[in-house]
Amino acid sequence: MHDIAILGAGRIGRIHATNAARHPGLRLKYIVDPMAAAATDLAGETGAQVADLETALADPSVAGVIIASSTDTHLDYSCRAVAAGKAVFCEKPIDQDLERARSAAASLGGARLFLGFNRRFDPHFQALKARLDSGAVGALETVQITSHDPAPPPVSYIKVSGGIFKDMSIHDFDMARWLLGEKVTQVYAAASCLVDPAIGEAGDVDTAKILLRTGSGKLCVISNSRRSGYGYDQRIEAFGSKGMVKADNVLESTVSVWGAEGAAADRLQNFFLDRYTAAYRLEMDHFADILSGKTSPAITYADGVGALELAEAAAQSVISGQVVTL
């Protein structure tokens, strides 16, 4: 059993702490958070101890650190944890500044660092990827990724999020890189503020369409919106030379009602923690396997930098109105 520490007792930290506390191969030893009440509450729920960062990193029994703190701490905490000899499971994005992220590649590029792009661990998306890899639809040609939130977050969050491309679209950039299987060489993005004028006043956009092109000509279209109005819309369609493979939305139930007016299905799941419950649990299984030496990180520091490059390119494209070549 491996002792671990979690940095961050907020919403995502609580998810990881709960999964870690339930995992048979892990023992959650420390909760680290500057908000003492949040740390104490989570420690009480999971049986962990409250500690400061220095104590957690100095403890030789701690084999791994989960970084679920605010985004502006991810890179610094990752560097400190790796320097202390710990394996790292860091939430996305690795940083909001591409040059800072690139500058840390020398120290973190070869580290046991697993970046938390959880959607790669979603069973539905994993099944789609397996079908692609098997050649079931022939050679991949184009991908369509739809990622629409049910409703926008508070403007107070928007102001510190880093913008829609680094906060929301970055999941889709990672999925695109994973599915396309080759380097994206061109990025074009168009964006508007159609959902909430306050988001525009905060300097961000809430609706975007992004087109990615690889060196061989494969295309990926990403559709993002901060508001769907009908639930958490998460779909992927991949088109190959022999057909299409599709991962559709997950509903609240499989029940549907049939009548003279037609058929009515249940609602879409409405919250990302519901939609990706299994993915978060499987991420923790993967981190436990990394600590046991059974595998290496499936999503590396280089993947984090690659997704951040696409986010920066999309933002540049919106400003210039031009295709950005990488």
Coordinates of all heavy atoms in Angstrom, one line a residue, residues 4-10 13 28-36 38-40 42-43 48-57 65-69 77:
I4 N -0.1 8.5 0.1 CA -0.1 9.7 -0.8 C -0.6 10.9 0.0 O -1.3 10.8 1.1 CB -1.0 9.4 -2.0 CG1 -2.5 9.2 -1.6 CG2 -0.5 8.2 -2.8 CD1 -3.4 9.2 -2.8
A5 N -0.4 12.0 -0.6 CA -0.9 13.3 -0.1 C -1.7 14.0 -1.2 O -1.4 13.8 -2.4 CB 0.2 14.2 0.4
I6 N -2.7 14.7 -0.8 CA -3.5 15.5 -1.8 C -3.4 17.0 -1.4 O -3.5 17.4 -0.3 CB -5.0 15.1 -1.7 CG1 -5.2 13.8 -2.4 CG2 -5.9 16.2 -2.4 CD1 -6.6 13.3 -2.6
L7 N -3.0 17.8 -2.4 CA -2.9 19.2 -2.3 C -4.1 19.8 -2.9 O -4.3 19.8 -4.1 CB -1.6 19.7 -3.0 CG -0.3 18.9 -2.8 CD1 0.8 19.6 -3.5 CD2 0.0 18.7 -1.4
G8 N -5.0 20.4 -2.1 CA -6.2 21.0 -2.5 C -7.4 20.2 -2.0 O -7.6 19.0 -2.3
A9 N -8.3 20.9 -1.3 CA -9.5 20.3 -0.7 C -10.8 20.9 -1.2 O -11.8 20.9 -0.6 CB -9.5 20.4 0.9
G10 N -10.7 21.4 -2.4 CA -11.9 21.9 -3.1 C -12.7 20.9 -3.8 O -12.5 19.7 -3.5
G13 N -10.5 18.2 -5.5 CA -9.7 17.6 -4.5 C -10.5 16.6 -3.7 O -10.1 15.5 -3.4
L28 N -4.5 7.4 2.0 CA -4.4 8.9 2.0 C -3.9 9.4 3.3 O -4.7 9.3 4.3 CB -5.8 9.4 1.6 CG -6.0 10.9 1.6 CD1 -5.0 11.5 0.5 CD2 -7.4 11.3 1.2
K29 N -2.7 9.9 3.3 CA -2.1 10.2 4.6 C -2.3 11.7 4.9 O -2.6 12.1 6.1 CB -0.6 9.9 4.6 CG 0.1 10.1 5.9 CD 1.5 9.5 5.9 CE 2.1 9.6 7.3 NZ 3.5 9.0 7.4
Y30 N -2.2 12.6 3.9 CA -2.2 14.0 4.2 C -3.2 14.8 3.3 O -3.3 14.4 2.1 CB -0.8 14.7 4.0 CG 0.2 14.2 5.0 CD1 1.4 13.6 4.5 CD2 0.1 14.3 6.4 CE1 2.4 13.2 5.3 CE2 1.1 13.9 7.2 CZ 2.3 13.3 6.7 OH 3.2 12.8 7.5
I31 N -3.8 15.8 3.9 CA -4.6 16.8 3.1 C -3.9 18.1 3.3 O -3.7 18.5 4.5 CB -6.1 16.9 3.6 CG1 -6.8 15.5 3.6 CG2 -6.8 17.9 2.8 CD1 -7.1 15.0 2.2
V32 N -3.6 18.8 2.2 CA -2.9 20.1 2.3 C -3.8 21.1 1.6 O -4.1 21.0 0.4 CB -1.5 20.0 1.6 CG1 -0.8 21.4 1.7 CG2 -0.6 18.9 2.2
D33 N -4.2 22.2 2.4 CA -4.9 23.2 1.8 C -4.8 24.5 2.7 O -4.9 24.3 3.9 CB -6.4 22.8 1.6 CG -7.2 23.8 0.7 OD1 -7.4 25.0 1.1 OD2 -7.6 23.3 -0.4
P34 N -4.6 25.7 2.1 CA -4.5 26.9 2.9 C -5.8 27.2 3.7 O -5.8 27.9 4.7 CB -4.1 28.0 2.0 CG -4.6 27.5 0.6 CD -4.4 26.0 0.7
M35 N -6.9 26.7 3.2 CA -8.2 26.9 3.9 C -8.4 25.8 4.9 O -8.7 24.6 4.6 CB -9.4 26.8 2.9 CG -9.3 27.8 1.7 SD -9.3 29.5 2.3 CE -11.0 29.6 2.8
A36 N -8.1 26.2 6.2 CA -8.0 25.2 7.2 C -9.3 24.4 7.4 O -9.3 23.2 7.6 CB -7.6 25.8 8.5
A38 N -11.6 23.7 5.2 CA -11.8 22.7 4.1 C -11.0 21.5 4.3 O -11.4 20.3 4.1 CB -11.6 23.4 2.7
A39 N -9.7 21.7 4.7 CA -8.8 20.6 4.9 C -9.2 19.8 6.0 O -9.2 18.5 6.0 CB -7.4 21.2 5.1
T40 N -9.7 20.4 7.1 CA -10.1 19.6 8.3 C -11.3 18.8 8.0 O -11.4 17.6 8.4 CB -10.4 20.6 9.4 OG1 -9.2 21.3 9.8 CG2 -10.9 19.8 10.7
L42 N -12.3 17.6 5.0 CA -12.0 16.5 4.2 C -11.2 15.4 4.9 O -11.3 14.2 4.7 CB -11.2 17.0 2.9 CG -11.0 16.0 1.8 CD1 -12.3 15.3 1.3 CD2 -10.3 16.7 0.6
A43 N -10.3 15.9 5.7 CA -9.5 14.9 6.5 C -10.4 14.1 7.4 O -10.2 12.8 7.5 CB -8.5 15.6 7.4
A48 N -7.6 11.0 6.8 CA -6.3 11.6 6.6 C -5.9 12.6 7.7 O -6.8 13.0 8.5 CB -6.2 12.2 5.2
Q49 N -4.7 13.1 7.6 CA -4.2 14.1 8.5 C -4.1 15.5 7.8 O -3.8 15.5 6.6 CB -2.9 13.8 9.1 CG -2.7 12.5 9.8 CD -1.3 12.2 10.1 OE1 -0.5 13.0 10.6 NE2 -0.8 10.9 9.8
V50 N -4.3 16.6 8.5 CA -4.1 17.9 7.9 C -2.6 18.2 8.1 O -2.0 18.0 9.1 CB -4.9 19.0 8.5 CG1 -4.6 20.3 8.0 CG2 -6.4 18.7 8.3
A51 N -2.0 18.7 7.0 CA -0.5 19.0 7.1 C -0.3 20.2 6.2 O -1.1 20.5 5.3 CB 0.3 17.8 6.7
D52 N 0.9 20.8 6.3 CA 1.3 21.8 5.4 C 2.2 21.1 4.3 O 2.5 19.9 4.4 CB 2.1 22.9 6.0 CG 3.4 22.4 6.8 OD1 3.9 21.4 6.4 OD2 3.8 23.1 7.8
L53 N 2.4 21.8 3.2 CA 3.1 21.2 2.1 C 4.5 20.7 2.4 O 4.9 19.6 2.0 CB 3.2 22.3 1.0 CG 3.9 21.8 -0.3 CD1 3.2 20.6 -1.0 CD2 4.0 23.0 -1.3
E54 N 5.2 21.5 3.2 CA 6.6 21.1 3.6 C 6.6 19.7 4.3 O 7.4 18.9 4.1 CB 7.2 22.1 4.4 CG 7.6 23.4 3.7 CD 6.3 24.3 3.3 OE1 5.3 24.1 4.0 OE2 6.4 25.1 2.4
T55 N 5.6 19.6 5.2 CA 5.6 18.3 6.0 C 5.3 17.1 5.1 O 5.9 16.1 5.2 CB 4.5 18.4 7.1 OG1 4.8 19.5 8.0 CG2 4.3 17.1 7.8
A56 N 4.3 17.3 4.2 CA 3.9 16.2 3.3 C 5.0 15.8 2.4 O 5.3 14.6 2.1 CB 2.7 16.7 2.5
L57 N 5.8 16.8 1.8 CA 6.8 16.5 0.9 C 8.1 15.9 1.6 O 8.8 15.2 1.0 CB 7.2 17.7 0.1 CG 6.2 18.3 -0.9 CD1 6.7 19.5 -1.7 CD2 5.7 17.2 -1.8
V65 N 2.0 12.3 -4.8 CA 1.2 13.5 -4.5 C 0.2 13.8 -5.6 O 0.5 13.8 -6.8 CB 2.2 14.7 -4.4 CG1 1.4 16.0 -4.2 CG2 3.2 14.5 -3.2
I66 N -1.0 14.1 -5.2 CA -2.1 14.5 -6.1 C -2.2 16.0 -6.0 O -2.5 16.5 -4.9 CB -3.4 13.8 -5.8 CG1 -3.2 12.3 -6.0 CG2 -4.5 14.3 -6.7 CD1 -4.5 11.5 -5.5
I67 N -2.1 16.7 -7.1 CA -2.2 18.2 -7.1 C -3.5 18.6 -7.7 O -3.8 18.5 -8.9 CB -1.0 18.8 -7.9 CG1 0.3 18.4 -7.3 CG2 -1.1 20.3 -7.9 CD1 1.5 18.8 -8.1
A68 N -4.4 19.0 -6.8 CA -5.8 19.4 -7.1 C -6.0 20.8 -6.6 O -7.2 21.2 -6.3 CB -6.8 18.4 -6.6
S69 N -5.0 21.6 -6.5 CA -5.1 23.0 -6.0 C -5.4 23.9 -7.1 O -5.6 23.5 -8.3 CB -3.8 23.3 -5.3 OG -2.7 23.0 -6.1
Y77 N 4.0 23.4 -7.7 CA 3.9 22.2 -6.8 C 4.4 20.9 -7.5 O 5.0 20.1 -6.8 CB 2.4 22.0 -6.4 CG 1.9 23.0 -5.4 CD1 0.5 23.0 -5.0 CD2 2.7 23.9 -4.8 CE1 0.0 23.9 -4.1 CE2 2.2 24.9 -3.9 CZ 0.9 24.8 -3.5 OH 0.4 25.7 -2.6

